[in-house]
Amino acid sequence: MSRTLTDGTAVPGAARDDGAATKRKAALVVALLFCFMVVNFADKVVIGLAGVDLIRELDLTKEQFGLVQSSFYWLLALGAVLGGMLIGRIKARYLLAATAALWVVSLAPMVGSVSFGLLIACRVLLGFAEGPATAMATAVTHSWYAPDKRAIPTSIVVAGAGVGPLLAAPALTWVMQRYDWHAAFTVLLVVGIAWVIAWLFAGGEGPVGTGRAQRAAGPALPDSLPYRAVLGTGTVVGLLVLFFTTYWSVAVKVTWLPLYLREGLGYGAGETGTLVALPYAAAAVFQVLVGVASAMLSRRGATSRTARTLFASALAAVGGLSTVAFSLLDGGTVQILLIVVGASLTSAGYGIAFAAVSDVVPARQRGGAMGVIVAVYSLGGIIAPLVLGGLVDSAATPGEGYAQGFLLIGVLVIVGAAVCAALADPERDARKLSAMSGAGPEPSPEPSRQSDD
């Protein structure tokens, strides 16, 4: 909207200035949300990095440590659904700040000595608080960009999931070697407080979109639809299967990969800190490159099915094949390369997959729908660490148990990719939902929200 003087005369260039200011604010919000995801995944990976020392200090079995890792996901689904439903009802500036503040509270006891029970309680609280993080970050990102412009910023934000452990692995390993594992949690606590302050000053939610952007994107979606209709589309079901199966790989990468490198493959603590960072570095790079490639495909006329869902499925399938391959090989450079590819490509399509979700979900319901999606796929995070821990404990050697676990995960990811490729078709489902609502052929504008500014 252009500015006017008191006599009603339009100010020259005001509309252009408003548009430039919105773009700058959108870029700032994306940067803050990227940092939000960085902190989110650094919090996740620290327990794995501290695993060997923590197991020794608390005298835990591998099965108990698997329970600790699994406990992070016990209330994650509940947090994801509740947090997703609050998006749009509470201003994003305050909602995300409160969410990150809960992370800080859950980390505080870890600065000192903890019992096994308190350790479990802290992980449960952190999981509950981090449950809606991806849904919140994605929904807020989409509120600043038109549907056909979302692939790149969404991929940048989701890339924070790779950068967080990438920075945390070597940095926190150094801190733990110089001091102890408790010091690593102190660092994360301070970083979390700093992010909350920055977000309160500079964060917020933007306009959802424009009528022009919606027309460019395809059939108009109504303001709201029954959740059973939205969540029952082939696109959402297919993406749910893809997220659920690939999240086995994500969860194990966060929880067990450091121990696998040390106990299964025999690397030292310093080498492990460096090697753990490689899959996250690759994941962060792939996330951004995939977003750029998807946007280029869209500009050249590719459908959302091709540029988003089939693309994401293909990436996951390659990651699954790499996971199967490294589980069958002995240690060495080739195996490390396959570990990096398998652990990074399985989740490289998350940014474009979430963009595809927004193609078939009405704007006002995106937070809730994404919360449900995160809740469902987080179940993989509960199951995977327990399954791998049980296999390691029951195998003749730790290396054999790890190999069996990663082989299972690789096959599961390949199956999930195939199911998603067969079911997901955003254009088809958007047309069905539009017809169900009785919307006419001319798309209506997406509802706009008041900015948090």
Side-chain angles (χ1 to χ4, degrees), residues 87-427:
I87 298 172
R89 292 178 170 85
I90 299 176
K91 285 187 174 183
R93 173 172 293 160
Y94 307 117
L95 182 60
L96 270 69
T99 299
L102 273 181
W103 306 352
V104 171
V105 171
S106 73
L107 294 172
M110 307 296 289
V111 172
S113 298
V114 293
S115 64
F116 179 64
L118 181 57
L119 175 61
I120 291 284
C122 289
R123 297 301 290 177
V124 171
L125 177 59
L126 181 64
F128 175 79
E130 290 194 346
T134 301
M136 287 178 176
T138 304
V140 174
T141 300
H142 290 182
S143 76
W144 284 97
Y145 293 91
D148 55 341
K149 304 292 185 183
R150 289 173 181 152
I152 294 176
T154 305
S155 294
I156 290 173
V157 169
V158 177
V163 175
L166 169 63
L167 298 177
L172 296 181
T173 298
W174 179 87
V175 169
M176 287 186 289
Q177 288 179 326
R178 186 173 179 84
Y179 301 101
D180 58 24
W181 67 269
H182 299 282
F185 286 87
T186 303
V187 171
L188 291 176
L189 184 143
V190 172
V191 171
I193 293 172
W195 187 89
V196 170
I197 294 171
W199 179 257
L200 284 172
F201 275 99
E205 192 170 47
V208 173
T210 65
R212 178 201 62 76
Q214 181 72 11
R215 283 191 292 273
L221 293 173
D223 288 356
S224 64
L225 285 166
Y227 271 104
R228 65 179 181 278
V230 174
L231 298 178
T233 61
T235 296
V236 173
V237 172
L239 289 171
L240 267 174
V241 173
L242 182 71
F243 280 128
F244 173 77
T245 53
T246 56
Y247 206 71
W248 279 58
S249 176
V250 172
V252 166
K253 178 175 66 176
V254 170
T255 56
W256 281 104
L257 182 58
L259 274 76
Y260 171 54
L261 292 171
R262 291 187 67 174
E263 298 184 340
L265 301 182
Y267 291 98
E271 291 175 305
T272 296
T274 301
L275 292 175
V276 164
L278 294 179
Y280 294 105
V285 172
F286 284 140
Q287 285 282 0
V288 177
L289 291 180
V290 167
V292 172
S294 177
M296 290 176 61
L297 288 171
S298 296
R299 284 197 296 269
R300 293 180 181 180
T303 62
S304 180
R305 172 173 165 77
T306 298
R308 293 176 178 175
T309 57
L310 289 180
F311 194 4
S313 297
L315 292 166
V318 174
L321 288 170
S322 297
T323 301
V324 169
F326 85 67
S327 71
L328 300 175
L329 293 177
D330 294 328
T333 303
V334 173
Q335 187 190 45
I336 292 296
L337 179 61
L338 289 170
I339 288 174
V340 171
V341 172
S344 57
L345 283 189
T346 49
S347 60
Y350 275 18
I352 58 176
F354 273 115
V357 172
S358 285
D359 290 340
V360 297
V361 178
R364 291 177 179 170
Q365 295 177 288
R366 282 179 198 143
M370 289 180 183
V372 171
I373 290 170
V374 172
V376 172
Y377 78 63
S378 70
L379 296 176
I382 297 177
I383 301 169
L386 289 175
V387 169
L388 190 57
L391 289 172
V392 172
D393 270 346
S394 63
T397 65
E400 182 180 328
Y402 284 117
Q404 293 172 355
F406 284 113
L407 176 62
L408 171 65
I409 290 168
V411 171
L412 190 66
V413 169
I414 294 169
V415 172
V419 171
C420 181
L423 294 181
D425 188 337
E427 284 82 10

